[in-house]
């Protein structure tokens, strides 16, 4: 396994010394946001994590290796190249054996973070149970991965391109604690509201770190989902987004978009039809997640 893992020296040093490290995904860079804002955001998010007292480790596949920690130049490549695969768990062995470029989803990033010994991971939004999953069976491998891999996943909740209620049910079935940071309602990415009460609420990084410790020391495998609501100033109301989501779903159906293309298609459609406002919210919430994630990693390392 280790011959496939390439840990950046700075990250390796921090891990060996027991200092806080925060993993970051790369699908959000290559397939989740337009250039050049994606690269600017990737760099800014790493900076927020450093300011918070942790070492950032952006994860991606290249040259037949699982890279844990990328240089600025490599981040730039993943943000701008056309030949980058979107890599969930299913795609990892292919992209590694073919030595292709791969941007890792939440599922693949978690697995690689865990291989490296990283326990906290920051992203924007997770994949989940899609609307209509009762017929399409479209359920993200992010959820099954969370059932087994011990990493805290800090996100802004679940985007309403998904069925939020079914996603919360699935997380419950899989034994994954869902903790909303600082409020009782589970957030829906662009909006602080979703209409669903969060299973758990915690108000400090220390409380969350204690929950992580309790879970993993008891031998309960799997992730904890930390939902961090978008800052109020950048919030977009759920009803304003719903119109665009409906249109995106209709477009996806009429163009027969399937499989791993569904999520990137919906994200791109919504970004193009809501313009600067949704991108601004997206950037703000990821930076906010990085701040909270770094604080959790710092608390957990103590
Ligand atoms: N949701 C977002 N932004 C994203 C993604 C999801 O709001 O960038 C990306 C993440 O990388 C996530 C992946 O892990 O999409 C899920 O893809 P799928 O539904 O194909 O599992
Ligand atoms: Mn899917």
């Amino acid at each position: 396994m280790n011959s496939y893992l390439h840990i950046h020296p700075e990250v390796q040093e921090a891990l060996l010394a027991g200092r806080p490290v925060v993993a970051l995904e790369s699908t959000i860079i290559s397939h989740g946001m337009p250039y050049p804002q994606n690269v600017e955001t990737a760099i800014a998010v790493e900076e927020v994590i450093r300011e918070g007292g942790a070492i950032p480790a952006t994860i991606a596949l290249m040259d037949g290796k699982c890279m844990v920690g990328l240089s600025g130049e490599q981040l730039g490549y993943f943000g701008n190249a056309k030949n980058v695969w979107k890599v969930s768990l299913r795609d990892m062995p292919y992209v590694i054996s073919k030595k292709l470029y791969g941007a890792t989803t939440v599922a693949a990033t978690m697995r690689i973070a865990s291989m490296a010994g990283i326990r906290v991971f920051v992203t924007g939004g997770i994949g989940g149970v899609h609307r209509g999953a009762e017929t399409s069976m479209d359920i993200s491998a992010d959820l099954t991965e969370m059932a087994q891999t011990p990493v805290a996943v800090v996100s802004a909740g679940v985007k309403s391109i998904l069925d939020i209620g079914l996603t919360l049910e699935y997380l419950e079935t899989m034994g994954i604690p869902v903790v909303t940071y600082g409020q009782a309602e589970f957030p829906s990415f662009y909006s602080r509201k979703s209409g669903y009460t969060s299973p758990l609420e915690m108000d400090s990084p220390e409380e969350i770190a204690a929950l992580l410790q309790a879970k993993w020391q008891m031998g309960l495998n799997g992730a904890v989902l930390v939902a961090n609501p978008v800052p109020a100033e950048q919030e977009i109301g759920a009803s304003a987004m719903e119109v665009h989501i409906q249109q995106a779903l209709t477009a996806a159906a009429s163009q027969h978009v399937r499989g791993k293309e569904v999520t990137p298609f919906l994200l791109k459609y919504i970004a193009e039809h809501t313009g600067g406002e949704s991108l601004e919210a997206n950037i703000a919430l990821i930076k906010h997640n990085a701040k909270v994630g770094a604080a959790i990693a710092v608390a957990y390392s103590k």
Side-chain angles (χ1 to χ4, degrees):
M1 177 184 98
N2 279 353
S3 64
Y4 293 103
L5 205 55
H6 183 277
I7 305 180
H8 190 285
E10 185 193 23
V11 175
Q12 183 69 281
E13 202 182 312
L15 287 168
L16 288 172
R19 289 199 300 272
V21 176
V22 173
L24 296 160
E25 63 152 307
S26 43
T27 291
I28 192 173
I29 305 173
S30 297
H31 306 281
M33 259 193 211
Y35 180 83
Q37 288 90 348
N38 56 356
V39 177
E40 287 161 15
T41 305
I43 291 167
V45 163
E46 288 206 348
E47 200 45 47
V48 172
I49 288 171
R50 287 186 195 281
E51 282 162 14
I55 300 293
T58 301
I59 291 177
L61 309 184
M62 59 183 282
D63 302 331
K65 303 273 183 205
C66 301
M67 306 292 289
V68 180
L70 296 182
S71 67
E73 199 184 320
Q74 288 165 339
L75 283 177
Y77 184 84
F78 279 95
N80 202 11
K82 292 279 163 273
N83 58 341
V84 178
W85 273 60
K86 175 189 166 198
V87 178
S88 192
L89 278 186
R90 177 192 66 176
D91 315 292
M92 275 176 67
Y94 182 83
V95 170
I96 287 286
S97 65
K98 292 274 188 189
K99 298 188 164 55
L100 303 172
Y101 286 92
T104 49
T105 63
V106 168
T109 306
M110 286 177 72
R111 183 66 68 93
I112 296 166
S114 175
M115 286 178 186
I118 301 172
R119 292 281 165 258
V120 179
F121 161 43
V122 163
T123 184
I126 59 161
V129 180
H130 281 258
R131 296 190 191 189
E134 61 275 20
T135 52
S136 70
M137 297 236 343
D138 190 354
I139 300 174
S140 175
D142 292 356
L143 297 184
T144 43
E145 185 61 16
M146 279 195 264
Q148 53 178 328
T149 297
V151 172
V153 180
V154 182
S155 81
V158 170
K159 220 176 233 170
S160 48
I161 57 171
L162 303 171
D163 188 317
I164 298 175
L166 291 187
T167 301
L168 288 169
E169 291 294 345
Y170 199 99
L171 289 162
E172 180 185 355
T173 302
M174 292 292 167
I176 301 158
V178 175
V179 180
T180 296
Y181 187 65
Q183 69 178 34
E185 186 166 347
F186 186 74
S188 61
F189 198 87
Y190 293 118
S191 172
R192 294 169 67 83
K193 301 202 186 100
S194 68
Y196 293 90
T197 301
S198 176
L200 304 167
E201 175 189 348
M202 286 184 161
D203 304 323
S204 73
E206 290 73 23
E207 275 177 281
I208 296 172
L211 179 137
L212 297 176
Q213 193 183 11
K215 177 173 164 92
W216 295 330
Q217 284 197 348
M218 282 189 284
L220 295 169
N221 267 332
V224 171
L225 178 62
V226 178
N228 183 35
V230 59
E233 315 80 69
Q234 276 89 20
E235 175 177 30
I236 306 174
S239 57
M241 287 310 292
E242 183 58 28
V243 182
H244 299 288
I245 288 164
Q246 285 297 346
Q247 287 171 356
L249 291 167
T250 305
S254 70
Q255 293 176 43
H256 306 290
V257 181
R258 300 254 157 74
K260 69 185 268 193
E261 304 308 330
V262 172
T263 298
F265 179 93
L266 296 173
L267 295 178
K268 187 154 179 270
Y269 188 100
I270 290 163
E272 284 173 1
H273 290 77
T274 57
E277 193 188 12
S278 71
L279 187 57
E280 198 190 314
N282 208 336
I283 294 168
L285 67 84
I286 295 168
K287 288 186 188 166
H288 190 216
N289 292 348
K291 191 172 176 200
V292 170
I296 294 169
V298 167
Y300 184 73
S301 74
K302 286 190 177 143

